[in-house]
Amino acid sequence: MLQLKIEMAIKGITIEDIANALNIHRNTAAQKVNGVSKFNIEEAFCIKEKFFPDKDLKVLFSKNRREEKKGA
């Protein structure tokens, strides 16, 4: 899971919020948030600037460390 998903839960940001900010369909946003497909760099910057200005971009779009250890 992306750290983004954790931060979204903490702040109460929904998939719909992300979809609206990026002007994409809700299902497309869900696929990106859930790691099925990837965010492009413009989308990543938009999400960071709009919702998480205090967070580091690299941290937001990193995978959860627990999952990385499971896959190793």
Side-chain angles (χ1 to χ4, degrees):
M1 168 189 322
L2 288 176
Q3 184 67 27
L4 172 64
K5 197 169 181 179
I6 295 167
E7 297 296 335
M8 286 172 62
I10 291 168
K11 284 193 157 187
I13 296 166
T14 66
I15 297 287
E16 288 79 10
D17 295 330
I18 299 294
N20 289 334
L22 300 179
N23 198 27
I24 60 176
H25 192 277
R26 186 231 177 265
N27 292 349
T28 303
Q31 290 177 336
K32 291 178 182 231
V33 169
N34 289 315
V36 175
S37 59
K38 295 184 180 191
F39 289 99
N40 66 43
I41 193 69
E42 291 87 7
E43 292 169 335
F45 276 109
C46 177
I47 290 167
K48 184 221 181 310
E49 290 171 10
K50 183 166 179 103
F51 300 108
F52 307 101
D54 60 327
K55 298 291 179 185
D56 184 73
L57 190 66
K58 188 175 180 178
V59 172
L60 272 177
F61 292 92
S62 66
K63 289 193 176 192
N64 184 304
R65 294 188 192 276
R66 285 185 182 171
E67 285 187 18
E68 289 175 2
K69 289 179 182 176
K70 283 183 190 175

